[in-house]
Amino acid sequence: MSQILNPDELEVVDGREHENLEGWVPALATDEEVRLALEKAFDYRGDVTLTFKSGDRVEGYVFNRISGKTLADSFVQYFPANAPDKRKATYAEIARIEFTGKDRAEGKHWEAWVKKYNEKKAAGEKNIQLVPEALD
Amino acid sequence: MAVPISQMWTVATYVIKKRLSGVKRYPLVLMLEPLFRCNLACAGCGKVQYPPHILKKQLSPEECFAAIEECGAPMVSLPGGEPLLHPQIVEIVNGLVARKKYIYLCTNALELKRRIHEFTPSKYLTFSVHLDGQREHHDMSVCREGGYEIAVDGIKEAVRRGFRVTTNATFFDGTNPNDVRSFFDEVMGMGVEGIVLSPGYSYDKAPDQHHFMGRAKTRRLFRAILSNRKKSWKFNMSPLFLEFLMGKRSYECTPWGSPAYNIFGWQKPCYLLQDGYTETFKELLETTDWDGYGTSSGNPQCANCMVSCGYEPSAVSHGFGSLSGFFAMAKAALFTRYEDKGALDLLNNSFAAKHDQLVKIEGVKLPAVAQLEETRA
């Protein structure tokens, strides 16, 4: 982690640049690539599809990762998209990762809302609002 | 202070018992997120950006009760998502009240008026209604025209029925302190018990990454807002935390003070950062690298944070955990005016321009006094 000299003097904070990973299929040739890909899967606000070395394939939301010394003692935890229970897999079991789900954080910036609002207001619309996405 | 004596007594005895028994890390408020689903789609919110199958999940009442039994905090905050969308929220609230936990049910109040009859007034239950400012400001903030009016209707109905009600505001870059002070007049006129406020935080899951203040700007803003207070304003918060926001005190973060529990488990290390989850509260306390978080750690993710979930527990522990802290708290509770000429200058000069829509305040020219004092925390 980079050190910040005096946080108390910060006027404005740079936000983190949003990385659009939707559709990404990372190479998993080395242990480091596996770790990096699963770290990004943990950060991703959408589903990923995991293909295991057993041939099983599951789409789900990765909500946790526990990094150990080897891939065999490192784990991801995820909720499958079509099952209610939490599941766990070692990094060593994973053969392929695809960022298949929609990135739910993409494009939801303040500026996008203000632009939309101003356009709708100029068009004479009433009750302008952003509506949560449908769940079904 | 707007916090009732019985609640203060509960918290004070809890802190003192923990201190006397040598417990180093103890929670004050459980941030119990029963679901992430929401009926708003606020642009700045990083709490609701999940796939539909995650948004459909929710904690059961039994899971909620197990979490509070496990961590033992005297207070519970029920944020989300929108808790009033949880079909068993009444059962959850009643179960927490039966356990004598002081609950802050954080709601946008879109459903409050419709569901209020299902709840029973209690000293343990407070509706903490999200209201970010006056009508135009709040509607822009929650990305919904008419949101303010619905929330205010809900507040008035809850007050009329004898519930404890507070408002809960988060302020981001672009907030005009003059407007905030007018907003305080408005909400106190609604009959609420007190106001809860916090600066925003640039947590990296938030889709909007461009409206977060650094600590210097945060202190300047809150100094302008909270100095020269009116007697009618009541705050449902630790007065020492408010002094911290104004730059009059320095605290380190207490991330374990407001642990978060949700469908994923116990969140590491705090309510705002998501660095993983544990199955148990004990595991959270024992396996989190606490030295890696907080401003003094040098962790850039913590550099600008002055948020209540991390720093209010520090202020409360200071206030109830030492004689000097107790006297400071008593003084802050008795002498609430905080006269400050420099803060008036900020209000009259730097922040005097009226903004239409949360316009950034970057580039605002400061009077010399403010430039000197803004980093005094």
Side-chain angles (χ1 to χ4, degrees):
Chain A
M1 288 171 199
S2 63
Q3 289 279 324
I4 289 169
L5 288 179
N6 188 354
D8 279 329
E9 291 176 5
L10 286 176
E11 278 289 319
V12 184
V13 176
D14 293 330
R16 206 176 71 152
E17 203 58 46
H18 184 75
E19 197 175 10
N20 191 350
L21 296 173
E22 196 173 321
W24 188 46
V25 183
L28 301 182
T30 66
D31 285 8
E32 205 44 49
E33 284 177 340
V34 173
R35 286 180 188 279
L36 181 68
L38 286 165
E39 193 64 28
K40 287 186 183 289
F42 164 68
D43 252 356
Y44 187 57
R45 283 298 178 108
D47 284 336
V48 299
T49 299
L50 303 174
T51 304
F52 296 102
K53 287 174 182 167
S54 65
D56 290 344
R57 211 170 128 83
V58 62
E59 188 175 31
Y61 183 79
V62 173
F63 66 88
N64 196 19
R65 82 297 183 230
I66 300 153
S67 189
K69 284 184 182 164
T70 66
L71 296 190
D73 60 15
S74 300
F75 299 88
V76 284
Q77 280 185 290
Y78 59 95
F79 272 115
N82 56 5
D85 53 317
K86 288 179 191 173
R87 295 194 191 161
K88 197 172 183 178
T90 69
Y91 284 17
E93 293 174 82
I94 296 166
R96 181 178 165 89
I97 305 166
E98 299 161 75
F99 288 69
T100 44
K102 182 181 173 184
D103 182 350
R104 301 285 162 175
E106 177 64 21
K108 293 175 178 170
H109 303 285
W110 176 257
E111 283 77 11
W113 154 240
V114 173
K115 182 172 179 283
K116 189 173 184 175
Y117 177 85
N118 287 335
E119 285 168 359
K120 286 177 176 284
K121 195 83 178 169
E125 286 190 34
K126 303 277 182 202
N127 298 319
I128 304 164
Q129 59 181 294
L130 295 181
V131 179
E133 290 177 47
L135 298 185
D136 293 309
Chain B
M1 253 189 314
V3 180
I5 298 286
S6 64
Q7 185 174 333
M8 276 198 285
W9 177 255
T10 299
V11 175
T13 51
Y14 172 83
V15 170
I16 291 165
K17 276 181 194 166
K18 292 290 181 189
R19 289 271 177 133
L20 290 177
S21 55
V23 179
K24 194 177 164 195
R25 296 191 175 107
Y26 49 88
L28 280 164
V29 184
L30 168 61
M31 307 296 287
L32 182 59
E33 298 176 297
L35 78 177
F36 293 123
R37 198 159 65 247
C38 192
N39 44 7
L40 287 173
C42 309
C45 181
K47 284 285 179 186
V48 298
Q49 315 298 341
Y50 290 106
H53 68 98
I54 296 296
L55 294 176
K56 286 179 188 173
K57 292 187 195 308
Q58 57 210 15
L59 293 175
S60 68
E62 291 71 27
E63 287 171 314
C64 293
F65 304 148
I68 190 62
E69 299 287 354
E70 193 184 350
C71 83
M75 293 183 282
V76 181
S77 177
L78 286 167
E82 169 52 46
L84 292 183
L85 295 184
H86 194 299
Q88 292 163 292
I89 191 62
V90 178
E91 191 180 335
I92 292 170
V93 165
N94 289 344
L96 294 171
V97 168
R99 286 165 175 78
K100 298 188 174 177
K101 301 297 178 184
Y102 284 92
I103 308 157
Y104 285 84
L105 193 155
C106 305
T107 176
N108 57 37
L110 296 183
E111 291 287 313
L112 184 57
K113 199 170 177 181
R114 192 177 69 79
R115 298 203 61 183
I116 191 78
H117 69 278
E118 299 172 52
F119 296 90
T120 308
S122 161
K123 70 174 181 179
Y124 293 108
L125 173 60
T126 302
F127 287 105
S128 182
V129 177
H130 175 194
L131 212 54
D132 273 344
Q134 293 174 297
R135 182 187 304 272
E136 188 189 358
H137 184 109
H138 177 77
D139 285 357
M140 282 305 289
S141 178
V142 301
C143 305
R144 177 174 173 150
E145 275 191 338
Y148 177 89
E149 203 165 316
I150 299 170
V152 169
D153 273 357
I155 289 171
K156 288 180 176 169
E157 184 62 19
V159 168
R160 191 184 70 77
R161 287 174 179 257
F163 286 95
R164 292 181 62 191
V165 182
T166 61
T167 56
N168 184 357
T170 304
F171 299 120
F172 291 89
D173 195 2
T175 299
N176 186 319
N178 289 294
D179 293 345
V180 174
R181 290 167 66 89
S182 301
F183 166 67
F184 288 171
D185 291 336
E186 269 180 34
V187 292
M188 291 315 301
M190 293 172 202
V192 301
E193 178 179 295
I195 297 161
V196 175
L197 45 82
S198 185
Y201 169 69
S202 61
Y203 52 101
D204 57 20
K205 301 289 186 187
D208 181 357
Q209 290 282 319
H210 301 104
H211 293 84
F212 299 109
M213 297 174 286
R215 288 168 73 97
K217 190 178 269 189
T218 298
R219 284 197 308 276
R220 193 162 63 248
L221 174 68
F222 281 91
R223 180 182 168 208
I225 292 171
L226 293 170
S227 298
N228 308 298
R229 282 182 214 172
K230 294 187 182 177
K231 273 191 176 171
S232 56
W233 299 351
K234 305 289 179 204
F235 296 94
N236 203 280
M237 311 190 78
S238 160
L240 298 183
F241 174 67
L242 297 180
E243 289 189 354
F244 165 74
L245 289 180
M246 296 162 73
K248 293 178 178 296
R249 292 192 174 275
S250 186
Y251 287 122
E252 284 299 318
C253 179
T254 306
W256 56 85
S258 307
Y261 183 76
N262 56 43
I263 58 166
F264 302 136
W266 292 93
Q267 188 166 303
K268 295 169 84 167
C270 68
Y271 175 62
L272 295 171
L273 287 181
Q274 277 176 291
D275 215 354
Y277 290 86
T278 65
E279 289 296 319
T280 67
F281 181 66
K282 186 171 183 284
E283 191 187 344
L284 174 78
L285 285 184
E286 290 176 355
T287 64
T288 304
D289 174 22
W290 298 110
D291 292 338
Y293 302 100
T295 315
S296 62
S297 71
N299 186 337
Q301 290 181 295
C302 302
N304 74 315
C305 184
M306 295 180 76
V307 176
S308 55
C309 63
Y311 289 93
E312 194 166 13
S314 312
V316 170
S317 293
H318 177 217
F320 290 125
S322 67
L323 268 181
S324 64
F326 185 78
F327 284 122
M329 192 171 60
K331 186 183 167 199
L334 289 172
F335 303 101
T336 58
R337 172 77 179 151
Y338 292 94
E339 276 187 43
D340 182 340
K341 172 78 170 50
L344 275 181
D345 289 343
L346 282 172
L347 282 176
N348 294 332
N349 302 320
S350 303
F351 294 107
K354 181 85 177 169
H355 299 304
D356 290 334
Q357 293 170 346
L358 288 175
V359 179
K360 283 192 174 193
I361 54 176
E362 285 166 53
V364 167
K365 189 169 164 46
L366 299 170
V369 61
Q371 287 176 339
L372 286 173
E373 293 180 10
E374 70 198 16
T375 57
R376 65 186 171 177

